[in-house]
Amino acid sequence: MNRTKLSLLTAMLICASMASCGKKTNQQVPEAKVEQGTFYIDIYEEGEIEAINSTNIVSPNIPWRFGNLKISDIVTDGAEVKAGDTLIAFDPSEVRKAILDYEDRLIVSNAELEKMRAQQELEMEQLLADYEVTRISHEISRMQLESASHESEIKRREIQLNLDKADISLARAKEQIENRHKIQIEEMKQKRLSIRQDEERLDEAHKTLAKLSVIAPAPGIAIISQNWSTNSKFQLGDQCWSSQQIIQLPDLSKLKAKVNINETDISHISKGLKVQIRPDAFSDSTFTGYVSTVANLAQNKDDKSKIKVFPVEIVINESNKNLLPGLTVSCRIIVDEIPNVKYIPLEALHIQGDKSYVFKKTVSGYDKVEVQTGRTNTDYVIIESGLDKGDKIALIDPSTLEQKEEKETSKK
């Protein structure tokens, strides 16, 4: 009977032990290995891709008399275009109306010019005829005076007065012709000037009409600019002023990333530092680059923030169809490289007071091991002593899993 009880107790202990082992395998402790190699001190920052060289497509510069520029057609944002493709068109109704008005005015003005020319010719013919009559009358008076030698003094005096009167009339007729000729010249000049102004404005209107369709000077990807009036990208129906940037045609063979570095980190940034660039939309792709420009002056992070940042430009070494202006990228700037050191993930390190320790895996479980640490980066910390390359360490405190298991067991 005692042997039976003993055997039963032993069997129960074995089952309990097996059940306990099963629980540990169901909730394994996440682990990592101690790595050895080059350790990178880095700074991560998000930025946006821009083209180093880009053709700015601006709205045409048109005279104020043709009204406002209103977008009637615009290329799709991000569309691939060829040289000669229409990028943007503006409403031509005001310009076409002006063209019709100037054409009508020119028809009327040219008709008036011909009428004026005919009237002036008729008027001048009449003046010349009157002048000829006056000249003949003057000639008769002169001849009468020459043949009046046998006439009485009174008669001769009368003839002389008639000649003087004819002299005045002849001089007045001549002066009238000269004055009228000058007036006619000025009238024709003013009329021709008016016609020339209308012709120039008509020509200007035709040139303006041609400007209302803006074509691509080179192939590329059309990037529509921000309309600060609406706080969104330009679209159909938007109005803009002359020479306003509407579209960019970037040179995709040379790109850069622009990031803003916090004022606390800017002292670590210098030209030439290596950078790893990862597009958020294509996280499996990584590109390389280098810091090309570091701003000397800080600026506010945004309109509502007092945080100061420094704009930094990063030249991207490669070109790729997935790299397009406007894409958000994560940039890892390599500030320093420390060769041949051991390092572990930051989450494996635990700090208690002024001491640092990890949970090192052993044959029987995990031992709490004190370590000496060095510099850190975003993800890892250097281990100067306490661990060897290849050692396995727990990423969490193993006791937390045991406590969790005990709570779950007590609930059952």
Side-chain angles (χ1 to χ4, degrees):
M1 190 68 175
N2 290 335
R3 288 181 180 177
T4 303
K5 289 183 178 179
L6 182 59
S7 299
L8 182 60
L9 180 60
T10 302
M12 290 176 65
L13 288 172
I14 292 172
C15 290
S17 177
M18 290 176 66
S20 176
C21 290
K23 287 181 182 179
K24 287 184 179 180
T25 56
N26 288 335
Q27 298 189 44
Q28 292 183 352
V29 177
E31 298 175 348
K33 283 185 179 182
V34 177
E35 303 289 344
Q36 186 166 355
T38 302
F39 187 82
Y40 297 96
I41 306 298
D42 49 27
I43 294 175
Y44 282 86
E45 192 60 64
E46 282 196 346
E48 188 173 293
I49 294 179
E50 296 179 0
I52 295 176
N53 299 315
S54 182
T55 301
N56 293 326
I57 305 300
V58 299
S59 55
N61 187 8
I62 67 171
W64 60 268
R65 66 177 63 91
F66 298 125
N68 296 322
L69 287 167
K70 183 178 180 180
I71 298 175
S72 59
D73 190 20
I74 190 168
V75 68
T76 303
D77 190 27
E80 186 174 353
V81 298
K82 297 178 292 185
D85 287 351
T86 299
L87 297 175
I88 185 170
F90 297 92
D91 184 2
S93 56
E94 288 294 326
V95 181
R96 286 176 176 165
K97 180 177 178 297
I99 289 174
L100 292 176
D101 289 342
Y102 289 133
E103 287 176 342
D104 291 342
R105 287 177 59 173
L106 281 170
I107 292 172
V108 173
S109 295
N110 280 304
E112 290 176 347
L113 179 64
E114 290 302 317
K115 181 180 179 181
M116 179 183 292
R117 184 181 289 112
Q119 289 177 339
Q120 286 183 352
E121 290 177 356
L122 182 62
E123 187 177 27
M124 190 56 66
E125 288 176 359
Q126 184 63 45
L127 288 173
L128 289 172
D130 293 343
Y131 175 81
E132 187 63 20
V133 170
T134 305
R135 187 189 66 78
I136 293 172
S137 177
H138 177 271
E139 185 65 19
I140 291 172
S141 297
R142 186 185 63 78
M143 292 172 62
Q144 287 178 347
L145 181 61
E146 289 177 353
S147 61
S149 56
H150 59 279
E151 297 287 347
S152 63
E153 186 65 28
I154 294 175
K155 187 63 176 178
R156 290 182 62 189
R157 181 62 178 167
E158 181 182 353
I159 294 172
Q160 181 64 53
L161 290 174
N162 288 334
L163 180 60
D164 293 342
K165 183 179 178 181
D167 285 339
I168 295 172
S169 297
L170 185 63
R172 181 178 295 173
K174 184 178 180 180
E175 184 180 359
Q176 190 175 11
I177 290 173
E178 292 174 350
N179 290 338
R180 190 57 197 161
H181 182 64
K182 292 178 181 178
I183 292 173
Q184 287 181 348
I185 291 174
E186 187 61 28
E187 287 175 346
M188 294 292 287
K189 180 181 177 181
Q190 292 298 324
K191 196 61 181 177
R192 289 193 178 98
L193 177 61
S194 176
I195 291 173
R196 186 162 60 250
Q197 288 176 342
D198 285 341
E199 287 174 341
E200 289 174 353
R201 289 185 177 179
L202 178 61
D203 182 62
E204 181 184 58
H206 280 295
K207 290 179 179 178
T208 301
L209 185 63
K211 290 180 181 179
L212 296 183
S213 291
V214 183
I215 63 173
I221 302 295
I223 307 298
I224 299 178
S225 302
Q226 188 88 352
N227 182 357
W228 302 114
S229 301
T230 61
N231 204 28
S232 60
K233 292 195 172 187
F234 281 100
Q235 57 187 332
L236 292 178
D238 281 0
Q239 289 189 348
C240 57
W241 56 86
S242 295
S243 302
Q244 186 176 7
Q245 181 177 307
I246 306 294
I247 296 171
Q248 282 187 312
L249 284 179
D251 178 2
L252 301 183
S253 64
K254 296 180 181 179
L255 299 174
K256 65 182 178 181
K258 190 172 183 180
V259 299
N260 291 323
I261 303 297
N262 195 291
E263 58 185 333
T264 58
D265 295 325
I266 193 63
S267 60
H268 304 298
I269 306 299
S270 60
K271 291 183 180 180
L273 291 179
K274 297 177 182 178
V275 185
Q276 293 179 354
I277 302 107
R278 189 187 300 273
D280 291 355
F282 309 97
S283 56
D284 57 339
S285 301
T286 302
F287 303 91
T288 62
Y290 62 91
V291 175
S292 61
T293 304
V294 181
N296 294 322
L297 297 177
Q299 62 186 33
N300 289 334
K301 188 173 183 180
D302 52 56
D303 295 338
K304 299 179 182 179
S305 175
K306 293 184 179 180
I307 298 174
K308 296 293 184 179
V309 295
F310 288 80
V312 171
E313 292 184 356
I314 299 165
V315 172
I316 302 175
N317 294 327
E318 302 92 350
S319 60
N320 187 280
K321 64 179 182 179
N322 293 330
L323 289 178
L324 297 173
L327 281 181
T328 302
V329 290
S330 296
C331 296
R332 181 193 181 201
I333 303 175
I334 310 300
V335 175
D336 195 7
E337 299 180 22
I338 306 173
N340 196 29
V341 292
K342 293 173 289 188
Y343 55 90
I344 62 171
L346 279 171
E347 57 263 38
L349 184 69
H350 303 270
I351 299 174
Q352 190 174 20
D354 59 349
K355 294 184 178 180
S356 300
Y357 61 91
V358 299
F359 291 96
K360 178 181 175 182
K361 188 173 184 178
T362 62
V363 176
S364 58
Y366 294 93
D367 289 345
K368 187 176 181 179
V369 178
E370 185 177 345
V371 295
Q372 297 296 320
T373 60
R375 297 176 68 180
T376 63
N377 61 20
T378 308
D379 302 308
Y380 298 94
V381 57
I382 293 176
I383 298 298
E384 296 180 345
S385 64
L387 292 172
D388 294 322
K389 177 184 176 181
D391 286 346
K392 291 184 179 181
I393 53 175
L395 292 177
I396 63 172
D397 186 344
S399 63
T400 58
L401 280 184
E402 295 176 3
Q403 294 171 3
K404 184 177 179 181
E405 288 177 357
E406 290 175 359
K407 288 182 180 179
E408 291 176 354
T409 302
S410 62
K411 288 180 181 179
K412 293 178 180 179

